[in-house]
Amino acid sequence: MNNKIIFSFKNNKKLALEVAKNLSIEVGRIYKKRFADGEIMIKSGSDVKDKDVIIIQSTSKNVNEELFSLLLLLDSVKRSGAKSITLFMPYFAYSRQERVSWNNEPISCQVVANIIDTAYYDKLVCFDLHHPVIETFFKKPIINKPTTALFSRYYDRYFKAHNIAKEDVVIVCPDHGANVRAEALAKALGNIKMVVLDKVRKRANCAEHLEIKGDEVKGKVCIIIDDIIDTGGTLISATNLLKRHGSTKILVAASHPVLSNHCYQKLVKAGIDDVVVTNSIEKQLHKDISVVDLLPLIEEEI
Ligand code: R5P
C-alpha cells in the first residue's frame, strides 16, 4: 500500500478520482466553511500525517475563490504533517496577464505566482502555460508540461478517419504567443507547414487579425492551435481570415476550455469544423467537442 493521498476541488474531481483509481491512491476529503462576513475556512478532512499529498486544482470559473481555497488547503495539509506536497494546476488563471499591455497595468500573473510561491508545496506541475516567461516568475520548482503528444495522436487518427493528406494541412498560430506550441505540433505531425497570424487587441476580449500575404492557406486544411478558448473571439477572427484566403476546413486544438458564455455555438457559426481540448477544466462541454485526456501526463509526475 502506498502512502499517498489525493485532493481536488470541483474543477478537477473526475481527473483526481481516475488518478486515485489507477494508482490506488486514497482520496482526501476537503472541509469548507463560510463565515458570516464572507471569509472561508478550508481544511483537510483526512489524515495526511507523513503522507505524500497530491493536490489537483485548476483555478477557473470563480477564479479568486478557487485560488484562495487552494492556498488554504496547502497550509492545512502542511501544518497537519504532510511529508511532501505535489501540486497540479492544469489550468493556471491569470496566465494571460504575464506582461504590461496597456498603461498602469499590473503583471497580475507575477502577483499570483508570488503568492503561490510562498505557499507550502514541493513541486508544481502546470500544462501549456500561456507563455514560457511564467516559469521564471516562480522561485520553487515548476514543470510546464506540453500536451503536444496528446494532440498529435488525436490528429493522426483524425487525418486517417477523414482521408486528409498531411501535405494538405497547415498549422496556424493565431498570434505570436502560440509559436512554440504550434512548432512542436507541426514537428510531431511530420514537419507540417506553419503560418503565424498577427493579432491586435484594441480592447480586452476583442481580437482582430491583420491580413495575410500570399496563398499559403488556399485549398488547405488549417489547424489553429491556441492555449485557451475563452470568448472565442481570437478563433473566430482567425477563421474569418483563413476562410477569406481559401482554407477549406478549419480545425482547432486548444489546451484549456474556458469557453465563457457558451461560445462553442459561435465557433460553429463561424465555420469551425472540429474542436479538441484537454480536460484541464472540468465542465459540461458540447457533445461535438473532443477531449484529450491529461491523465497519462499527470500520472507521469506522481
Ligand atoms: C491570447 O493571447 C491567448 O493565447 C488566447 O488566444 C486568448 O486568450 C483566447 O481568448 P478569446 O477566446 O477570448 O479570444
Side-chain angles (χ1 to χ4, degrees):
M1 184 62 185
N2 63 51
N3 204 27
K4 297 184 168 72
I5 181 164
I6 188 163
F7 292 88
S8 70
F9 293 89
K10 62 177 183 302
N11 281 330
N12 302 101
K13 266 254 131 34
K14 254 170 88 181
L15 251 179
L17 290 178
E18 281 175 61
V19 172
K21 190 169 157 231
N22 287 354
L23 305 182
S24 304
I25 295 176
E26 177 189 352
V27 177
R29 286 185 311 274
I30 298 174
Y31 174 84
K32 178 169 181 173
K33 182 178 163 81
R34 188 175 297 279
F35 296 99
D37 62 354
E39 288 179 4
I40 53 172
M41 196 270 285
I42 301 275
K43 67 172 188 175
S44 164
S46 304
D47 178 23
V48 297
K49 190 156 174 44
D50 297 327
K51 292 186 184 166
D52 295 306
V53 172
I54 298 146
I55 299 178
I56 309 189
Q57 167 70 320
S58 283
T59 44
S60 63
K61 197 107 182 158
N62 296 321
V63 178
N64 302 328
E65 170 113 359
E66 294 301 324
L67 187 57
F68 209 75
S69 299
L70 170 64
L71 295 169
L72 297 185
L73 181 65
L74 287 166
D75 196 75
S76 155
V77 295
K78 180 66 186 175
R79 283 176 197 284
S80 309
K83 186 170 148 219
S84 72
I85 304 173
T86 302
L87 170 59
F88 290 89
M89 296 184 74
Y91 174 65
F92 191 92
Y94 286 99
S95 64
R96 287 176 288 177
Q97 299 182 51
E98 92 291 5
R99 68 198 152 100
V100 174
S101 305
W102 284 294
N103 280 351
N104 304 334
E105 279 185 354
I107 301 184
S108 313
C109 185
Q110 170 83 73
V111 173
V112 173
N114 289 349
I115 295 169
I116 291 177
D117 223 20
T118 58
Y120 296 110
Y121 66 86
D122 299 284
K123 177 166 100 172
L124 171 61
V125 183
C126 298
F127 297 89
D128 287 347
L129 279 170
H130 175 65
H131 194 284
V133 75
I134 297 169
E135 294 169 44
T136 68
F137 292 173
F138 293 85
K139 292 193 192 77
K140 292 224 282 267
I142 171 168
I143 296 173
N144 180 15
K145 272 180 104 66
T147 59
T148 314
L150 306 179
F151 287 118
S152 93
R153 213 169 304 138
Y154 175 83
Y155 283 118
D156 273 332
R157 287 201 201 112
Y158 189 96
F159 295 164
K160 275 193 199 112
H162 294 81
N163 276 326
I164 295 172
K166 288 187 180 173
E167 307 76 67
D168 293 334
V169 179
V170 171
I171 304 276
V172 177
C173 305
D175 53 48
H176 290 260
N179 253 352
V180 176
R181 271 184 301 279
E183 263 170 30
L185 183 64
K187 197 163 159 219
L189 287 172
N191 291 324
I192 283 181
K193 285 214 180 93
M194 244 178 77
V195 171
V196 183
L197 306 182
D198 288 309
K199 180 167 92 174
V200 281
R201 275 200 190 275
K202 294 193 175 140
R203 55 180 194 281
N205 289 334
C206 177
E208 276 177 35
H209 284 95
L210 305 181
E211 276 303 317
I212 39 179
K213 298 183 186 86
D215 53 8
E216 292 143 299
V217 302
K218 192 165 175 199
K220 300 287 184 193
V221 172
C222 290
I223 302 180
I224 310 177
I225 177 145
D226 211 349
D227 56 333
I228 298 168
I229 310 177
D230 185 353
T231 64
T234 299
L235 293 175
I236 291 168
S237 164
T239 299
N240 291 339
L241 181 66
L242 296 169
K243 283 197 165 279
R244 266 206 318 278
H245 284 262
S247 169
T248 51
K249 207 174 174 70
I250 310 280
L251 316 177
V252 166
S255 316
H256 308 295
V258 174
L259 292 165
S260 302
N261 307 325
H262 307 284
C263 79
Y264 179 69
Q265 306 302 349
K266 290 190 232 157
L267 303 183
V268 174
K269 208 167 153 210
I272 290 173
D273 299 279
D274 185 70
V275 177
V276 56
V277 297
T278 77
N279 51 349
S280 64
I281 300 168
E282 230 162 83
K283 64 195 305 185
Q284 188 69 42
L285 295 177
H286 189 280
K287 65 175 180 22
D288 293 336
I289 299 180
S290 301
V291 179
V292 291
D293 197 349
L294 291 176
L295 188 65
L297 301 184
I298 290 182
E299 288 179 357
E300 272 172 21
E301 297 298 332
I302 293 179

